[in-house]
Amino acid sequence: MKRFGMFISKHKIMIIIVALLLVIPATLGAMITPINYDILSYLPQDLDSMLGQNILDKTFSNAATSMLILEDVQSNETVKIKDEISQIDGVERVLWINDLVDTSVPKEFLPDDVKDLFYRENSTLMFIQFKESPSSEATQEAIETIRKTIDKESYLAGLSAIVKDNRDLADKETPIYVLLAVILCLLVLMISIESYLVPFIFIFSIGLSILYNLGTNIFLGEISYITKSLVPILQLGVTMDYSIFLLHRYDEEKQSIEDRNEAMAQAIAKTFSSITGSSITTIAGFLALCTMSLAIGKDMGLVMAKGVFIGVLSTITILPAFILVFDKPIHKYKHKTLLPGFEKTAFFVTKHYKVLAVLFILIFIPALYGQGHTKVYYNLDESLPKDLPSIVSTNKLKNDYNMTTTHFIVINDKFSSHQVKNMVEEIKKVDGIENVLSYDNILGPGIPESFVPNEIRDFSMKDGYKLILANSNYKSATDEANHQIDKLNDIVKRYDKDGMVTGEGALTKDLVILADRDFKTSSMFSMLFIFAIIMFVLSSLSVPIILVACVELAIFINMAIPFYTGTIIPFIASIVIGCIQLGATVDYAILLTTRFREEIRNGLDKIHAMEVAIQGSARSIITSALSFFAATIGVGLISKMEMVKSLCVMLSRGAIISMVVILFILPSIMLISERVIEITSRNWKEKGSFKLKIAREENNHEI
């Protein structure tokens, strides 16, 4: 690494030029990477609900259906609006009452099933089918055009419209998130670092690595909007440590090496192993998300892990070049830091460590209970402001038509009209089903099939399948809706073992089941990955247990707070918070532990060794935690997207909770367990070989 460091130091101008040139392809890559705003599309493809959804998409062009409510509009004007919408690119067809009967027929003469489906007192309802999925570009553009076509007294509801509003809101807010995170991180760095210029160099260098990460997402095909919103602020908060480590190692080397290039080369060589070791646990935490059944875990995990890796590369290449170029002004314009020396903190912890250890046990029980009973929601519309057009329209659909969720039932067309009608009659009797629309019911007794309009035939029966729509007045993801879907599945499977119930309700029900399983799986794997890494790095069986237990306590406290405050969080938060918080903050525990071990090896008794360890590492831990807090808290305070807002509030809170637990609880547990640690660890008190000594020095990151 010394040769590599010397190469970077001697070619610093070239490094900066290349780094700036890479901005061009990175920006283009970030701009053209498709963004997926449909969470339900990340479900496993082998589920019945997803198989049915694919049939809706490919056979019936019905994977994306919106409902349009028109108020106080005459029949002739409604027909005109329908025809205009039918001509819009991306729209497959529009279904209204005039596809069944002539509009001159009074609605009072219509069968109750048909009348209740299309009419209420002063409004009428039409169904709009799109050619592609809800989150596709074609569907989103069609939604925008439809809204320009209809007036203010019209309401466009359905998942496609919700996805559209979610997309617009995310695109509008994401740049604000990044700007706010940058400003708050600059404030934290100004407080904790002596130089006026360094915070701006850090932010610029990390900003380049974030842009490279976003640009290389093009090779993944697409990313979710949650990943797009969170990656910049998470990468900023997580990788800030690496920049701090390099700068202070460089300052140390300059005290004994006059040549700046050689000092930087030495700093790069010595910092590399430290940064690599620190980043491995973070990457492991993110990669644990890839064990989820939901593909969004892989999406977030890969992008965030890639971001940390790029951040490491940036720290040992781009940042050293900038520091060398601006070396004089960096060290010329300085100020005093506002962080104390933490002598009182160290004394307090070592004096009261037994009480703090008891506190660990007392807090652990309610924290464990609370995190296990925190309520979550799964509906996309719950995460959006209530005044968005799609949310207003969806509520209108629910209140006026009792149509909260539409179930799509796909069966084989070999079944006779009589069998289908019997099945439909059973479906109608299921609690919460408002009405059912099927081809065989529309056809009616004695009506030749040739009399049925092509629009209705293609909507209901095609390529070996029959489609039945069952409108429910239960909201998806509720216990009532899930029980209703179970009943529908039982009925459908009795008639057609290959029949499928799909739509938002069925997809969300599968999401509920998988999310609970993924929470357990990802949490277990993140703990196992990080346990193994700590065990390998510190050569101990007991230390990984203590460190992971302390960070898990911080996670449990973080996850339990919503339970005790009566807050409902998005399902994605319950899955990813543990992995991210564990991976991002376990470094604090490793830093304190390695410093404690070093002082033990230097001959100090455990109390004095812990005092020195806390004093020596507290500033680094607090700076890291505050940087992570600053990068996320602003988003948590201003975001209108509840899903992103909740994630960022919990991440920012988690950083502070982890910091407090590591500085106060972890030392007490280690002091009580020091004898056990010695027995279960290799070379706990012996200095070991020269290589181990060098490794210890590299892990001593002081600010």
Side-chain angles (χ1 to χ4, degrees):
M1 283 303 298
K2 180 70 181 294
R3 286 185 177 180
F4 175 80
M6 188 59 72
F7 175 84
I8 297 296
S9 300
K10 289 185 175 180
H11 299 86
K12 49 185 173 291
I13 300 300
M14 182 190 72
I15 297 294
I16 291 175
I17 292 173
V18 171
L20 295 177
L21 288 175
L22 287 175
V23 168
I24 299 173
T27 303
L28 291 175
M31 290 173 61
I32 63 176
T33 299
I35 308 298
N36 191 341
Y37 296 84
D38 183 7
I39 297 296
L40 296 177
S41 66
Y42 288 100
L43 286 164
Q45 296 299 311
D46 58 350
L47 295 174
D48 263 12
S49 57
M50 286 300 288
L51 293 172
Q53 193 75 354
N54 289 333
I55 292 173
L56 290 182
D57 188 9
K58 297 175 182 177
T59 303
F60 292 99
S61 298
N62 202 13
T65 300
S66 286
M67 284 66 72
L68 176 62
I69 300 174
L70 301 176
E71 284 194 340
D72 299 319
V73 179
Q74 298 298 318
S75 294
N76 58 343
E77 185 65 23
T78 302
V79 172
K80 182 180 177 182
I81 293 173
K82 176 195 170 186
D83 291 340
E84 288 182 18
I85 294 175
S86 299
Q87 300 302 314
I88 294 174
D89 289 341
V91 173
E92 178 71 14
R93 65 176 65 88
V94 182
L95 179 65
W96 189 54
I97 191 66
N98 71 332
D99 292 309
L100 300 175
V101 297
D102 191 272
T103 55
S104 61
V105 177
K107 62 182 179 181
E108 290 77 15
F109 292 178
L110 298 172
D112 288 342
D113 286 349
V114 176
K115 182 177 65 175
D116 291 343
L117 181 64
F118 289 103
Y119 288 110
R120 283 300 184 267
E121 291 182 3
N122 64 333
S123 67
T124 187
L125 177 69
M126 62 176 63
F127 295 85
I128 303 172
Q129 284 183 295
F130 299 97
K131 294 179 180 179
E132 299 182 16
S133 64
S135 61
S136 71
E137 197 66 32
T139 301
Q140 293 298 292
E141 290 179 1
I143 291 284
E144 186 173 353
T145 307
I146 291 170
R147 284 177 170 170
K148 293 177 181 177
T149 302
I150 60 180
D151 57 32
K152 293 181 180 179
E153 298 304 317
S154 303
Y155 302 87
L156 186 64
L159 182 60
S160 298
I162 292 174
V163 169
K164 168 64 176 171
D165 286 341
N166 189 41
R167 171 180 177 171
D168 291 344
L169 188 59
D171 290 347
K172 178 183 177 182
E173 288 194 348
T174 299
I176 301 174
Y177 299 162
V178 177
L179 178 62
L180 191 58
V182 166
I183 292 172
L184 293 178
C185 277
L186 281 173
L187 291 176
V188 169
L189 292 174
M190 287 293 185
I191 291 172
S192 57
I193 294 179
E194 294 179 344
S195 173
Y196 285 106
L197 184 59
V198 161
F200 294 95
I201 293 176
F202 281 1
I203 293 293
F204 187 75
S205 176
I206 296 173
L208 290 176
S209 67
I210 292 172
L211 187 57
Y212 300 154
N213 188 24
L214 294 175
T216 52
N217 287 334
I218 187 66
F219 299 110
L220 299 178
E222 68 174 20
I223 60 171
S224 73
Y225 78 95
I226 298 176
T227 302
K228 178 187 175 184
S229 299
L230 290 180
V231 161
I233 55 180
L234 284 179
Q235 191 172 336
L236 177 62
V238 168
T239 61
M240 183 65 71
D241 297 356
Y242 313 150
S243 301
I244 295 171
F245 295 167
L246 179 77
L247 176 68
H248 288 279
R249 173 61 69 177
Y250 171 61
D251 286 342
E252 287 180 23
E253 296 300 328
K254 280 184 65 178
Q255 295 176 7
S256 57
I257 302 175
E258 292 185 8
D259 183 79
R260 291 185 303 147
N261 290 337
E262 188 175 345
M264 180 58 77
Q266 192 70 21
I268 292 172
K270 290 184 176 181
T271 307
F272 177 74
S273 58
S274 302
I275 294 175
T276 302
S278 179
S279 65
I280 286 175
T281 54
T282 306
I283 291 174
F286 288 147
L287 289 180
L289 295 173
C290 297
T291 63
M292 290 169 54
S293 302
L294 295 170
I296 193 171
K298 182 179 179 181
D299 179 90
M300 296 178 67
L302 286 178
V303 175
M304 292 177 182
K306 174 162 63 72
V308 174
F309 177 73
I310 293 174
V312 171
L313 292 181
S314 175
T315 302
I316 60 173
T317 55
I318 299 172
L319 181 61
F322 278 115
I323 291 176
L324 287 173
V325 169
F326 294 98
D327 182 73
K328 289 184 179 179
I330 285 174
H331 294 89
K332 180 178 180 182
Y333 300 104
K334 288 189 173 184
H335 63 86
K336 291 184 178 180
T337 61
L338 299 182
L339 293 180
F342 299 101
E343 291 86 358
K344 292 182 179 179
T345 302
F347 178 74
F348 174 85
V349 172
T350 53
K351 182 179 180 182
H352 302 286
Y353 74 90
K354 293 182 180 179
V355 175
L356 292 171
V358 173
L359 185 63
F360 169 82
I361 299 172
L362 294 177
I363 295 175
F364 202 96
I365 297 171
L368 181 62
Y369 178 84
Q371 70 90 28
H373 291 79
T374 294
K375 293 183 178 180
V376 301
Y377 66 82
Y378 298 84
N379 301 87
L380 180 59
D381 59 317
E382 292 289 340
S383 68
L384 297 172
K386 301 305 178 185
D387 59 350
L388 285 181
S390 59
I391 305 302
V392 172
S393 299
T394 299
N395 290 333
K396 178 78 172 174
L397 187 69
K398 174 184 176 181
N399 296 331
D400 290 6
Y401 287 82
N402 292 328
M403 193 186 298
T404 305
T405 307
T406 299
H407 304 304
F408 296 88
I409 301 168
V410 180
I411 61 173
N412 196 297
D413 70 353
K414 68 180 180 181
F415 294 96
S416 67
S417 177
H418 177 71
Q419 289 175 305
V420 175
K421 286 179 181 179
N422 287 341
M423 183 174 68
V424 168
E425 288 305 314
E426 287 193 51
I427 292 173
K428 287 180 179 179
K429 294 177 183 177
V430 175
D431 290 342
I433 293 296
E434 181 66 18
N435 49 55
V436 182
L437 181 66
S438 73
Y439 178 81
D440 298 276
N441 277 25
I442 294 172
L443 193 61
I447 300 177
E449 188 172 333
S450 59
F451 282 21
V452 179
N454 291 332
E455 289 81 1
I456 296 296
R457 187 181 296 108
D458 290 342
F459 181 87
S460 308
M461 189 169 66
K462 197 174 183 182
D463 296 344
Y465 294 103
K466 283 186 177 181
L467 177 64
I468 300 170
L469 270 63
N471 292 312
S472 168
N473 52 33
Y474 291 153
K475 189 175 181 63
S476 62
T478 61
D479 292 338
E480 296 85 356
N482 292 339
H483 181 67
Q484 182 186 76
I485 293 167
D486 286 335
K487 285 288 188 68
L488 293 180
N489 271 312
D490 289 341
I491 294 171
V492 171
K493 294 294 184 183
R494 272 195 286 109
Y495 285 88
D496 181 2
K497 64 181 179 63
D498 296 320
M500 292 161 279
V501 179
T502 187
E504 182 186 358
L507 291 168
T508 307
K509 179 179 181 293
D510 286 335
L511 182 65
V512 173
I513 297 171
L514 290 175
D516 181 61
R517 188 190 308 163
D518 282 342
F519 169 70
K520 297 172 183 176
T521 302
S522 60
S523 297
M524 180 186 69
F525 274 100
S526 64
M527 286 189 288
L528 288 175
F529 290 164
I530 291 174
F531 180 92
I533 292 169
I534 297 173
M535 183 175 66
F536 175 77
V537 172
L538 298 180
S539 301
S540 173
L541 290 175
S542 57
V543 170
I545 296 174
I546 295 172
L547 267 56
V548 171
C550 285
V551 179
E552 283 297 321
L553 171 63
I555 293 170
F556 290 163
I557 294 172
N558 193 14
M559 291 292 295
I561 289 175
F563 170 74
Y564 291 110
T565 58
T567 304
I568 303 177
I569 63 173
F571 79 95
I572 195 69
S574 66
I575 300 175
V576 305
I577 287 295
C579 295
I580 296 175
Q581 188 175 339
L582 179 60
T585 63
V586 74
D587 288 347
Y588 310 164
I590 295 173
L591 178 59
L592 181 70
T593 302
T594 52
R595 184 59 187 267
F596 176 56
R597 183 181 65 176
E598 179 179 341
E599 299 307 327
I600 288 285
R601 287 175 173 177
N602 287 337
L604 296 181
D605 65 86
K606 66 180 183 180
I607 299 297
H608 289 103
M610 186 57 74
E611 285 183 359
V612 175
I614 293 173
Q615 291 179 42
S617 58
R619 188 173 294 182
S620 293
I621 292 171
I622 290 175
T623 301
S624 299
L626 289 179
S627 296
F628 195 83
F629 174 83
T632 52
I633 187 60
V635 179
L637 294 176
I638 70 161
S639 178
K640 292 182 180 179
M641 292 190 297
E642 184 59 35
M643 192 170 292
V644 174
K645 181 185 182 75
S646 296
L647 278 169
C648 287
V649 165
M650 296 183 74
L651 287 170
S652 60
R653 186 173 65 208
I656 300 301
I657 294 172
S658 291
M659 177 189 76
V660 173
V661 169
I662 298 307
L663 287 178
F664 290 91
I665 302 296
L666 176 60
S668 64
I669 302 300
M670 296 205 72
L671 287 173
I672 288 177
S673 309
E674 201 270 336
R675 178 58 182 164
V676 175
I677 293 172
E678 181 183 356
I679 296 172
T680 57
S681 304
R682 187 176 64 184
N683 298 323
W684 177 252
K685 287 191 173 181
E686 293 80 13
K687 289 188 176 183
S689 66
F690 178 74
K691 288 184 178 180
L692 285 175
K693 181 179 179 181
I694 295 298
R696 288 197 303 273
E697 291 176 353
E698 291 176 352
N699 281 320
N700 181 21
H701 309 308
E702 293 185 48
I703 296 180

